[in-house]
Amino acid sequence: MGRPSALTVTASPSTAQVPGLERGSYWITTFGCQMNKADSERMAGILESMGYREATAELDADLVLYNTCTIRDNAEQKVYSYLGRQARRKRINPHLKLVVAGCVAQQEGESLLRRVPELDLVMGPQHANRLETLLQQVESGQQVVATEEQHILEDITTARRDSSICGWVNVIYGCNERCTYCVVPSVRGKEQSRLPDAIRLEMEGLAAQGYREITLLGQNIDAYGRDLPGITAEGRRKNTLSDLLYHVHDVEGIERIRFATSHPRYFTRRLIDACADLPKLCEHFHIPFQSGDNDVLQAMARGYTIERYRKIIDHIRKRMPEASLSADVIVAFPGETDAQFRRTLQLIEEICFDLVNTAAYSPRPNTPAANWENQLPEDVKVARLQEINALVERCAKERNARYAGQVEEVLAEGINPKDPTQLMGRTRTNRLTFFTAVGADGRNYQPGDLVQVRINAVRSFSLSGTPVHG
Ligand code: SAH
Ligand code: SF4
Ligand code: F3S
């Protein structure tokens, strides 16, 4: 799911107001992964349908919602510092509504109210689509905690999306794995797949609004459909991720399809073959491997070996030699020896990833590994992280070098905030690319255009170039 970061849902000038329902302004700050970002977009849509409008600044808003992440301790702590500031505001302005949503809300529940009594609403991720009902309870004077296990209803309001070109579409919520370090299953609950037709319908709606790229989302997207009925004549499960890709591939207007996050235990050859066959499927795979050592993988309860992981990569490279590869890795997992850490480095070097998100192990509540006695000291975590990050950067640079002088298809997603004469977007392989808005042919390109860009500068994590022809 990539490295969690703080994101803010920003205003779009086209936001329609509901007349007669003016309720004040809202502000959402989103921490964590793409799931949270997608949830925030849906919650922003619900708030706007209720008559809230986007605030111009966090400290002016009448309703502040933090959509939180608890994947590591530092992500969780960040929320408390934000909340302290808002709690002080609330003591002066009792009409301010304070909401904590997402994974910290689910993890802490009721105890968040004890810690921050100024809160109005604490709501877990499975309750995102119920925001309106929950706020109505708040308006009737209650302090509300909504963390019970919930069947996720299809959302009927229109999400208020950050981008008008690239959209997220949830396909499976929750995670049934039990990786020994990970808090996600306890905060996101059991797997719940959406029906293929509901997913397709959402994509058709997005295409009609002009969206061109869709990223299908799931914490373990390869588990898609396990909870749906249906067996084929050959005795195979009917609703796998590969089947879903075939089902949604021909939505007219959508030019690119991506998906994340893949789990090596369930990632199939059939899926790789589907991606190779379907032209809109982009040549980028995000497949976290977490560790390059089999004993560590076993202690993590990941359910695969490095040999299996290598086979997946070999098959991808055989079918799609240009594909880019990214992954997540944890260093300094409890008991990880220096030799085991070196095997992780070796694997990164051998595969030469385009990008690896790295993190030092952080003990999390309600996870087995947090109670083990073989925790590693902070200085080992810092040293391993530094060493691995230097390698990751070197590989990224090496991989990016192959783009120099090449012409790549880039979907223009917006204007470069640092240089308004440039557009920015990504290649099919997910490389961030900046290019001049006016091409060599004199054409003025706009966000939403698919542009052929000649790459003339490569850096570790981005590319730059000039459009060559339309
Ligand atoms: N579902 C995805 C990842 C979800 S969490 C998968 O199975 O790979 C995103 C990343 O955060 C993980 O890939 C892992 O690298 C990292 N992460 C999760 N728990 C962590 C912990 N306790 N300490 C450090 N990193 C962690
Ligand atoms: Fe966490 Fe493992 Fe589920 Fe990924 S697959 S979300 S790492 S428990
Ligand atoms: Fe964080 Fe929850 Fe995502 S813990 S990484 S926001 S699933």
Side-chain angles (χ1 to χ4, degrees), residues 71-87:
I71 199 76
R72 287 181 281 278
D73 187 56
N74 57 2
E76 181 180 350
Q77 297 312 323
K78 218 183 285 175
V79 177
Y80 297 123
S81 74
Y82 277 61
L83 274 177
R85 207 164 54 199
Q86 294 297 344

PDB file of all heavy atoms in Angstrom, residues 71-87:
ATOM      1  N   ILE A  71      -0.533   1.937  11.479  1.00  0.00           N
ATOM      2  CA  ILE A  71       0.316   0.850  10.986  1.00  0.00           C
ATOM      3  C   ILE A  71       1.634   0.779  11.771  1.00  0.00           C
ATOM      4  O   ILE A  71       2.160  -0.292  12.018  1.00  0.00           O
ATOM      5  CB  ILE A  71       0.556   0.986   9.459  1.00  0.00           C
ATOM      6  CG1 ILE A  71       1.019  -0.329   8.869  1.00  0.00           C
ATOM      7  CG2 ILE A  71       1.525   2.093   9.092  1.00  0.00           C
ATOM      8  CD1 ILE A  71      -0.045  -1.340   8.692  1.00  0.00           C
ATOM      9  N   ARG A  72       2.141   1.950  12.158  1.00  0.00           N
ATOM     10  CA  ARG A  72       3.332   2.009  13.021  1.00  0.00           C
ATOM     11  C   ARG A  72       3.062   3.028  14.120  1.00  0.00           C
ATOM     12  O   ARG A  72       2.184   3.880  13.979  1.00  0.00           O
ATOM     13  CB  ARG A  72       4.564   2.427  12.202  1.00  0.00           C
ATOM     14  CG  ARG A  72       5.059   1.316  11.298  1.00  0.00           C
ATOM     15  CD  ARG A  72       6.279   1.718  10.506  1.00  0.00           C
ATOM     16  NE  ARG A  72       5.941   2.537   9.359  1.00  0.00           N
ATOM     17  CZ  ARG A  72       5.523   2.075   8.194  1.00  0.00           C
ATOM     18  NH1 ARG A  72       5.379   0.785   7.997  1.00  0.00           N
ATOM     19  NH2 ARG A  72       5.240   2.883   7.204  1.00  0.00           N
ATOM     20  N   ASP A  73       3.866   2.958  15.172  1.00  0.00           N
ATOM     21  CA  ASP A  73       3.609   3.823  16.315  1.00  0.00           C
ATOM     22  C   ASP A  73       3.676   5.301  15.929  1.00  0.00           C
ATOM     23  O   ASP A  73       2.851   6.097  16.376  1.00  0.00           O
ATOM     24  CB  ASP A  73       4.621   3.508  17.423  1.00  0.00           C
ATOM     25  CG  ASP A  73       4.282   4.260  18.684  1.00  0.00           C
ATOM     26  OD1 ASP A  73       3.148   4.106  19.157  1.00  0.00           O
ATOM     27  OD2 ASP A  73       5.135   5.025  19.167  1.00  0.00           O
ATOM     28  N   ASN A  74       4.627   5.681  15.064  1.00  0.00           N
ATOM     29  CA  ASN A  74       4.740   7.113  14.753  1.00  0.00           C
ATOM     30  C   ASN A  74       3.514   7.649  14.024  1.00  0.00           C
ATOM     31  O   ASN A  74       3.115   8.788  14.208  1.00  0.00           O
ATOM     32  CB  ASN A  74       6.045   7.437  14.013  1.00  0.00           C
ATOM     33  CG  ASN A  74       6.195   6.633  12.736  1.00  0.00           C
ATOM     34  OD1 ASN A  74       5.308   5.863  12.380  1.00  0.00           O
ATOM     35  ND2 ASN A  74       7.311   6.797  12.048  1.00  0.00           N
ATOM     36  N   ALA A  75       2.855   6.774  13.235  1.00  0.00           N
ATOM     37  CA  ALA A  75       1.621   7.195  12.552  1.00  0.00           C
ATOM     38  C   ALA A  75       0.550   7.486  13.594  1.00  0.00           C
ATOM     39  O   ALA A  75      -0.174   8.486  13.509  1.00  0.00           O
ATOM     40  CB  ALA A  75       1.152   6.108  11.591  1.00  0.00           C
ATOM     41  N   GLU A  76       0.466   6.621  14.589  1.00  0.00           N
ATOM     42  CA  GLU A  76      -0.562   6.797  15.630  1.00  0.00           C
ATOM     43  C   GLU A  76      -0.295   8.069  16.449  1.00  0.00           C
ATOM     44  O   GLU A  76      -1.204   8.857  16.696  1.00  0.00           O
ATOM     45  CB  GLU A  76      -0.579   5.563  16.548  1.00  0.00           C
ATOM     46  CG  GLU A  76      -1.633   5.677  17.627  1.00  0.00           C
ATOM     47  CD  GLU A  76      -1.687   4.472  18.568  1.00  0.00           C
ATOM     48  OE1 GLU A  76      -1.044   3.447  18.290  1.00  0.00           O
ATOM     49  OE2 GLU A  76      -2.377   4.589  19.593  1.00  0.00           O
ATOM     50  N   GLN A  77       0.963   8.262  16.831  1.00  0.00           N
ATOM     51  CA  GLN A  77       1.283   9.410  17.697  1.00  0.00           C
ATOM     52  C   GLN A  77       0.975  10.745  17.026  1.00  0.00           C
ATOM     53  O   GLN A  77       0.587  11.711  17.672  1.00  0.00           O
ATOM     54  CB  GLN A  77       2.757   9.378  18.143  1.00  0.00           C
ATOM     55  CG  GLN A  77       3.123   8.172  18.993  1.00  0.00           C
ATOM     56  CD  GLN A  77       2.125   7.912  20.121  1.00  0.00           C
ATOM     57  OE1 GLN A  77       1.589   8.828  20.738  1.00  0.00           O
ATOM     58  NE2 GLN A  77       1.853   6.638  20.380  1.00  0.00           N
ATOM     59  N   LYS A  78       1.165  10.772  15.696  1.00  0.00           N
ATOM     60  CA  LYS A  78       0.917  12.005  14.951  1.00  0.00           C
ATOM     61  C   LYS A  78      -0.518  12.504  15.200  1.00  0.00           C
ATOM     62  O   LYS A  78      -0.776  13.683  15.362  1.00  0.00           O
ATOM     63  CB  LYS A  78       1.105  11.706  13.455  1.00  0.00           C
ATOM     64  CG  LYS A  78       1.756  12.842  12.699  1.00  0.00           C
ATOM     65  CD  LYS A  78       1.855  12.559  11.228  1.00  0.00           C
ATOM     66  CE  LYS A  78       2.922  11.560  10.842  1.00  0.00           C
ATOM     67  NZ  LYS A  78       2.895  11.236   9.412  1.00  0.00           N
ATOM     68  N   VAL A  79      -1.448  11.554  15.246  1.00  0.00           N
ATOM     69  CA  VAL A  79      -2.854  11.916  15.410  1.00  0.00           C
ATOM     70  C   VAL A  79      -3.090  12.619  16.745  1.00  0.00           C
ATOM     71  O   VAL A  79      -3.834  13.592  16.819  1.00  0.00           O
ATOM     72  CB  VAL A  79      -3.730  10.647  15.346  1.00  0.00           C
ATOM     73  CG1 VAL A  79      -5.194  10.988  15.585  1.00  0.00           C
ATOM     74  CG2 VAL A  79      -3.547   9.975  14.014  1.00  0.00           C
ATOM     75  N   TYR A  80      -2.426  12.121  17.794  1.00  0.00           N
ATOM     76  CA  TYR A  80      -2.656  12.726  19.111  1.00  0.00           C
ATOM     77  C   TYR A  80      -2.184  14.178  19.144  1.00  0.00           C
ATOM     78  O   TYR A  80      -2.811  15.016  19.783  1.00  0.00           O
ATOM     79  CB  TYR A  80      -1.991  11.901  20.214  1.00  0.00           C
ATOM     80  CG  TYR A  80      -2.587  10.513  20.311  1.00  0.00           C
ATOM     81  CD1 TYR A  80      -1.797   9.375  20.197  1.00  0.00           C
ATOM     82  CD2 TYR A  80      -3.960  10.348  20.491  1.00  0.00           C
ATOM     83  CE1 TYR A  80      -2.354   8.112  20.264  1.00  0.00           C
ATOM     84  CE2 TYR A  80      -4.531   9.077  20.552  1.00  0.00           C
ATOM     85  CZ  TYR A  80      -3.716   7.964  20.436  1.00  0.00           C
ATOM     86  OH  TYR A  80      -4.277   6.716  20.487  1.00  0.00           O
ATOM     87  N   SER A  81      -1.105  14.460  18.429  1.00  0.00           N
ATOM     88  CA  SER A  81      -0.647  15.857  18.462  1.00  0.00           C
ATOM     89  C   SER A  81      -1.638  16.753  17.687  1.00  0.00           C
ATOM     90  O   SER A  81      -1.931  17.857  18.106  1.00  0.00           O
ATOM     91  CB  SER A  81       0.789  15.991  17.962  1.00  0.00           C
ATOM     92  OG  SER A  81       0.823  15.841  16.582  1.00  0.00           O
ATOM     93  N   TYR A  82      -2.174  16.244  16.581  1.00  0.00           N
ATOM     94  CA  TYR A  82      -3.186  17.020  15.849  1.00  0.00           C
ATOM     95  C   TYR A  82      -4.420  17.235  16.727  1.00  0.00           C
ATOM     96  O   TYR A  82      -5.027  18.296  16.740  1.00  0.00           O
ATOM     97  CB  TYR A  82      -3.630  16.284  14.577  1.00  0.00           C
ATOM     98  CG  TYR A  82      -2.718  16.464  13.379  1.00  0.00           C
ATOM     99  CD1 TYR A  82      -1.391  16.058  13.413  1.00  0.00           C
ATOM    100  CD2 TYR A  82      -3.210  17.001  12.194  1.00  0.00           C
ATOM    101  CE1 TYR A  82      -0.584  16.193  12.305  1.00  0.00           C
ATOM    102  CE2 TYR A  82      -2.395  17.140  11.078  1.00  0.00           C
ATOM    103  CZ  TYR A  82      -1.083  16.725  11.143  1.00  0.00           C
ATOM    104  OH  TYR A  82      -0.290  16.853  10.054  1.00  0.00           O
ATOM    105  N   LEU A  83      -4.797  16.168  17.432  1.00  0.00           N
ATOM    106  CA  LEU A  83      -6.030  16.246  18.236  1.00  0.00           C
ATOM    107  C   LEU A  83      -5.910  17.239  19.383  1.00  0.00           C
ATOM    108  O   LEU A  83      -6.868  17.929  19.722  1.00  0.00           O
ATOM    109  CB  LEU A  83      -6.354  14.867  18.808  1.00  0.00           C
ATOM    110  CG  LEU A  83      -7.153  13.965  17.890  1.00  0.00           C
ATOM    111  CD1 LEU A  83      -7.346  12.603  18.524  1.00  0.00           C
ATOM    112  CD2 LEU A  83      -8.514  14.587  17.576  1.00  0.00           C
ATOM    113  N   GLY A  84      -4.713  17.326  19.963  1.00  0.00           N
ATOM    114  CA  GLY A  84      -4.498  18.251  21.078  1.00  0.00           C
ATOM    115  C   GLY A  84      -4.851  19.673  20.665  1.00  0.00           C
ATOM    116  O   GLY A  84      -5.539  20.404  21.377  1.00  0.00           O
ATOM    117  N   ARG A  85      -4.408  20.033  19.463  1.00  0.00           N
ATOM    118  CA  ARG A  85      -4.659  21.366  18.937  1.00  0.00           C
ATOM    119  C   ARG A  85      -6.160  21.625  18.787  1.00  0.00           C
ATOM    120  O   ARG A  85      -6.673  22.665  19.173  1.00  0.00           O
ATOM    121  CB  ARG A  85      -3.994  21.422  17.556  1.00  0.00           C
ATOM    122  CG  ARG A  85      -3.568  22.776  17.122  1.00  0.00           C
ATOM    123  CD  ARG A  85      -2.601  22.672  15.979  1.00  0.00           C
ATOM    124  NE  ARG A  85      -3.128  21.877  14.867  1.00  0.00           N
ATOM    125  CZ  ARG A  85      -2.369  21.328  13.912  1.00  0.00           C
ATOM    126  NH1 ARG A  85      -1.073  21.466  13.940  1.00  0.00           N
ATOM    127  NH2 ARG A  85      -2.911  20.641  12.937  1.00  0.00           N
ATOM    128  N   GLN A  86      -6.884  20.644  18.257  1.00  0.00           N
ATOM    129  CA  GLN A  86      -8.329  20.820  18.037  1.00  0.00           C
ATOM    130  C   GLN A  86      -9.093  20.805  19.357  1.00  0.00           C
ATOM    131  O   GLN A  86     -10.093  21.505  19.504  1.00  0.00           O
ATOM    132  CB  GLN A  86      -8.870  19.731  17.107  1.00  0.00           C
ATOM    133  CG  GLN A  86      -8.329  19.791  15.699  1.00  0.00           C
ATOM    134  CD  GLN A  86      -8.707  21.078  14.971  1.00  0.00           C
ATOM    135  OE1 GLN A  86      -9.594  21.817  15.367  1.00  0.00           O
ATOM    136  NE2 GLN A  86      -7.996  21.352  13.882  1.00  0.00           N
ATOM    137  N   ALA A  87      -8.612  20.004  20.308  1.00  0.00           N
ATOM    138  CA  ALA A  87      -9.291  19.954  21.616  1.00  0.00           C
ATOM    139  C   ALA A  87      -9.233  21.333  22.266  1.00  0.00           C
ATOM    140  O   ALA A  87     -10.208  21.804  22.847  1.00  0.00           O
ATOM    141  CB  ALA A  87      -8.636  18.900  22.499  1.00  0.00           C
TER     142      ALA A  87
END
